[in-house]
Amino acid sequence: MKKWILIALSVIIVIIIIFLVAGLSNLGPLIKNAVNTYGPKITKTEVRLGDVGISLLSAEVKLKDFYLGNPKGFSSPYALQAGSIYVDVQESSLTGKTIVIDKIELVRPDIVYEKGRGRDNFQKILSNMKAGGGSTSSSGKQSGEEGEGKKIVINEFIVRDAEVKLAMSMTGNKDISAKATVPNIHLKDIGKEEGGLTPTGAFKQVLTALYGTIASPSVIGALSAEIKAQGVDIEGLTGGATKDLKETTNKIKGLFGK
């Protein structure tokens, strides 16, 4: 009798392993297709993902060549691009309604913050996302196609060693550019309190935090100092560009009614 019990348990374990491996092997194409299909619809910009690598043993995912383009009206080629994004998924959550991601780590992303004539590219992308699908209705249900699918919880989201390039289109056909280091970002428990968010909702939180850091006084101050070091009088050129840059921080709070 014990022998048959052991055999039955072994068969069950093998079935579970096959199921998980099959789920993980299909996860890569699903992620790539979702990003490349829904990304442009959500942000109203070009969004693409080059490839997805999956480790079947550790359930670690590596997103390769992520590209977030700029909205119409901005001249920079992109808002953000990253060679690699590392994702650690709880494989046991893949079969449930809510996928739990232990950690997402974005290392050395290349960010372009384009500012000109009272607007900037990140503010426009976030406004596009607010106006798009996947928003939460008054009943608490997610609207749109994506809301009926899987939800996600992200235990940790880390951005480190990032650099931001400021691009400003000025009057008189004169362009200004500068670079600054972005402080590391460490977010925790994204979607945990809500019992899971749509990927759109989670991306909104991440992008809002990134935008807030880019437009923080320390980063804006460093960018302004580099511009002045180039011998450019940005106050004289724009009638108060530095003040306009600093006021961006206040606009962030109003993007989602916060």
Side-chain angles (χ1 to χ4, degrees):
M1 187 67 179
K2 290 182 179 179
K3 181 179 179 181
W4 286 109
I5 292 174
L6 289 174
I7 293 174
L9 288 174
S10 299
V11 170
I12 291 171
I13 291 171
V14 169
I15 291 173
I16 291 173
I17 291 173
I18 291 173
F19 184 74
L20 288 175
V21 168
L24 286 172
S25 62
N26 290 326
L27 189 60
L30 287 174
I31 292 174
K32 181 177 178 179
N33 182 66
V35 170
N36 292 342
T37 301
Y38 294 105
K41 296 178 182 178
I42 293 168
T43 63
K44 307 296 189 295
T45 69
E46 183 180 359
V47 179
R48 63 175 183 262
L49 187 60
D51 197 9
V52 180
I54 305 288
S55 172
L56 298 180
L57 296 177
S58 62
E60 290 181 348
V61 181
K62 183 180 181 181
L63 311 182
K64 302 175 184 177
D65 300 325
F66 176 76
Y67 177 97
L68 173 63
N70 267 324
K72 292 181 179 179
F74 293 89
S75 59
S76 302
Y78 56 87
L80 185 150
Q81 64 178 5
S84 300
I85 302 175
Y86 300 94
V87 184
D88 188 5
V89 183
Q90 283 188 15
E91 60 267 36
S92 59
S93 69
L94 293 174
T95 57
K97 293 182 178 180
T98 302
I99 296 176
V100 179
I101 301 173
D102 282 327
K103 184 168 69 172
I104 297 178
E105 188 168 14
L106 183 57
V107 182
R108 290 187 295 276
D110 185 8
I111 303 166
V112 177
Y113 176 47
E114 185 174 340
K115 185 77 178 171
R117 297 178 178 85
R119 59 176 184 166
D120 68 70
N121 55 343
F122 278 90
Q123 182 185 2
K124 180 59 178 174
I125 293 171
L126 285 166
S127 296
N128 289 346
M129 294 176 69
K130 182 182 178 183
S135 59
T136 304
S137 67
S138 58
S139 63
K141 295 182 179 180
Q142 297 288 333
S143 63
E145 247 183 276
E146 186 195 0
E148 299 170 2
K150 295 268 191 178
K151 301 295 189 298
I152 60 174
V153 171
I154 305 173
N155 291 333
E156 285 188 285
F157 187 94
I158 299 169
V159 180
R160 62 181 178 88
D161 303 331
E163 184 179 71
V164 61
K165 299 173 184 175
L166 171 68
M168 298 182 70
S169 299
M170 316 310 297
T171 57
N173 296 321
K174 185 163 186 177
D175 293 336
I176 293 176
S177 63
K179 295 180 182 180
T181 300
V182 178
N184 292 345
I185 299 171
H186 193 176
L187 306 178
K188 293 184 177 181
D189 301 330
I190 298 173
K192 188 174 183 179
E193 186 176 341
E194 299 86 346
L197 293 172
T198 63
T200 301
F203 187 49
K204 283 178 182 176
Q205 286 198 17
V206 168
L207 201 61
T208 301
L210 178 61
Y211 182 32
T213 304
I214 292 170
S216 65
S218 62
V219 175
I220 294 300
L223 292 170
S224 299
E226 183 173 334
I227 291 173
K228 289 180 180 179
Q230 296 172 16
V232 179
D233 180 9
I234 59 175
E235 296 288 350
L237 277 171
T238 66
T242 305
K243 181 181 178 183
D244 189 37
L245 281 170
K246 291 181 178 178
E247 286 177 350
T248 301
T249 308
N250 296 327
K251 293 178 183 178
I252 297 170
K253 297 179 181 178
L255 283 172
F256 299 104
K258 294 182 180 180

